[in-house]
Amino acid sequence: HPLDPPTFQARLNQWYGRGKTWALRWAYRAFGGVHPGIDFHAPTGRPVFHTVNKGRVIWVGRDGGYGLTVKVRCEWDNAHKNDIGVWYCHLSRVSSAVQVGKLVTEGQVIGYSGGAKGDPNAGYSTGPHLHFAYWDSSLKGVGTQHFVDPNTYFKEGGVSLV
């Protein structure tokens, strides 16, 4: 399913894939040295939009190194009701309309970018950004969540992230 970027006018600063340095591979060791998403550099407080048609919120809260995170299981058709989802991580805050069990729709504000050093919601972060992860349990991906490269889905939607 094609994706639109989750935040406007944000520079992509970390691709999905194998860490380029030993330090990055060590940081991503739980995922075989692979960065399991893409990072958009965005100032703290920039709106983050849900990107995938509609979905059900399955997690809102702090999640270790991901900091304040919203996890959404995609529900655009019955064939993909349980196997595809997206994570929005290192948020400074979450929209009050986003709650576990609620349906979210494409373009809806999920929360606001964060990740600044010293922010208690940042998790493991070196600066303000949005970490966006896409998982598909029907495909071989990294980690137990089967994270896959979201860039493929952005390209299907005619969106270039370069």
Side-chain angles (χ1 to χ4, degrees):
H1 193 272
L3 302 176
D4 290 320
T7 189
F8 295 121
Q9 300 173 340
R11 177 176 46 88
L12 189 69
N13 65 343
Q14 175 70 48
W15 290 95
Y16 173 96
R18 185 158 171 78
K20 293 181 180 176
T21 66
W22 179 89
L24 285 175
R25 288 191 296 276
W26 177 255
Y28 311 137
R29 66 191 174 277
F31 304 102
V34 173
H35 182 250
I38 52 179
D39 292 348
F40 294 90
H41 178 272
T44 299
R46 179 163 290 165
V48 173
F49 304 93
H50 181 56
T51 62
V52 186
N53 198 322
K54 65 180 179 176
R56 185 103 20 216
V57 177
I58 59 173
W59 173 274
V60 176
R62 290 192 182 127
D63 189 11
Y66 292 111
L68 185 57
T69 297
V70 172
K71 300 176 185 179
V72 178
R73 185 183 62 234
C74 301
E75 295 185 355
W76 60 77
D77 63 30
N78 285 332
H80 295 95
K81 207 164 185 164
N82 293 311
D83 57 354
I84 297 174
V86 291
W87 290 16
Y88 304 92
C89 308
H90 305 300
L91 299 172
S92 60
R93 62 189 171 96
V94 174
S95 170
S96 60
V98 174
Q99 299 170 8
V100 172
K102 297 276 186 175
L103 193 67
V104 291
T105 57
E106 188 170 359
Q108 180 177 342
V109 174
I110 293 291
Y112 300 87
S113 60
K117 282 190 171 242
D119 179 347
N121 293 324
Y124 303 137
S125 177
T126 58
H129 72 285
L130 168 71
H131 175 83
F132 177 81
Y134 188 92
W135 57 267
D136 185 338
S137 62
S138 70
L139 300 174
K140 182 178 170 148
V142 297
T144 56
Q145 289 81 21
H146 300 270
F147 291 114
V148 294
D149 187 352
N151 194 40
T152 303
Y153 301 94
F154 284 114
K155 285 180 183 175
E156 283 180 14
V159 175
S160 174
L161 296 178
V162 289

